[in-house]
């Protein structure tokens, strides 16, 4: 079986996703959104880029593409689904995970390396890390600020569904280490099951 990396008009990190997967021994292929998902893929990746030019809101139009019904159905069958950057925006807009990604607090596009603290190491996405470990990843987004109601964020924390938080090199969170002003410094979250995740960096 093969991981399907979905390509929308405006995707630009789709080939990077395929190469990264193949580099770690995972079979992966690009799938044009109009072709629909292959039957029973081993996973689905929603890659970064600017799907549909980010018109309306980042990820809004791609989230309503007919292929996303296939993605939701795959997620409900337990097939792993990962949204990265623009794919995270698409995933949230499609209801795969709670919350929304909005304009950065700086109101500008930001491209830099950031530190993340691993909040939950007991998921398919984070088993290679230790809880509390600090890693460094790049960001490149203008609408990466995670927003969610306070009570829903509390529920995500209670259910261990926050994967990563922005932090400094020592693992401490503060406004200075939160590059886009995300609520609770959240950088990645799980959907209703641990096999569905979105990650902004």
């Amino acid at each position: 079986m093969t991981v399907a990396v979905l390509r929308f008009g405006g995707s630009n990190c789709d080939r990077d996703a395929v190469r990264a997967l193949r580099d770690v021994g995972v079979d992966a292929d690009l799938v044009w959104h109009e072709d629909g998902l292959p039957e029973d893929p081993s996973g689905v990746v929603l890659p970064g880029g600017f799907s549909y030019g980010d018109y309306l809101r980042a990820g809004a139009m791609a989230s309503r593409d007919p292929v996303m019904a296939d993605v939701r159905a795959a997620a409900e069958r337990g097939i792993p689904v990962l949204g990265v950057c623009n794919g995270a925006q698409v995933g949230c807009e499609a209801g795969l995970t709670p919350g929304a990604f909005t304009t950065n607090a700086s109101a500008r596009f930001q491209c830099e390396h950031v530190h993340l603290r691993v909040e939950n190491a007991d998921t398919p996405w984070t088993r290679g890390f230790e809880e509390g470990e600090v890693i460094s990843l790049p960001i490149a987004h203008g609408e990466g600020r995670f927003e969610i109601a306070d009570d829903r964020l509390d529920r995500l924390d209670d259910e261990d569904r926050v994967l990563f938080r922005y932090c400094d090199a020592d693992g401490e969170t503060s406004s200075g280490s939160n590059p886009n002003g995300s609520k609770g410094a959240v950088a990645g979250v799980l959907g209703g099951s641990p096999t569905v995740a979105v990650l902004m960096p």
Side-chain angles (χ1 to χ4, degrees):
M1 293 194 295
T2 301
V3 171
V5 177
L6 275 183
R7 172 186 272 177
F8 298 98
S11 297
N12 67 9
C13 296
D14 42 354
R15 292 180 187 275
D16 295 335
V18 168
R19 185 166 70 177
L21 288 164
R22 290 177 178 170
D23 282 350
V24 295
V26 176
D27 192 19
D29 284 323
L30 292 174
V31 175
W32 180 242
H33 68 104
E34 290 181 342
D35 295 335
L37 276 187
E39 189 172 342
D40 291 325
S42 55
V44 179
V45 173
L46 304 171
F50 301 91
S51 58
Y52 292 95
D54 280 351
Y55 289 109
L56 300 181
R57 290 182 309 279
M61 292 181 71
S63 73
R64 288 155 179 79
D65 190 286
V67 74
M68 291 306 296
D70 296 341
V71 174
R72 282 189 291 272
E76 289 169 3
R77 295 197 307 273
I79 292 172
V81 177
L82 176 65
V84 180
C85 197
N86 186 233
Q89 296 159 338
V90 173
C92 275
E93 290 278 346
L96 291 172
T97 60
F101 290 98
T102 61
T103 303
N104 295 343
S106 66
R108 63 182 178 85
F109 188 88
Q110 292 176 241
C111 183
E112 59 195 86
H113 270 79
V114 298
H115 291 99
L116 303 180
R117 186 178 68 208
V118 179
E119 298 292 279
N120 181 352
D122 188 26
T123 77
W125 315 104
T126 56
R127 285 190 185 131
F129 302 114
E130 298 290 332
E131 186 173 326
E133 183 177 348
V134 176
I135 63 173
S136 177
L137 288 176
I139 59 169
H141 57 248
E143 296 178 50
R145 178 167 52 104
F146 183 74
E147 280 295 335
I148 193 168
D150 290 340
D151 62 328
R152 295 190 72 197
L153 179 57
D154 290 342
R155 191 183 320 157
L156 288 181
D157 279 322
D158 291 344
E159 296 173 355
D160 289 326
R161 289 169 61 189
V162 176
L163 284 178
F164 299 99
R165 278 192 161 89
Y166 297 106
C167 65
D168 62 21
D170 297 318
E172 299 298 321
T173 60
S174 69
S175 59
S177 63
N178 187 345
N180 49 36
S182 286
K183 178 75 69 73
V186 170
V189 296
L190 293 173
S193 83
T195 56
V196 178
V198 298
L199 173 67
M200 181 47 58

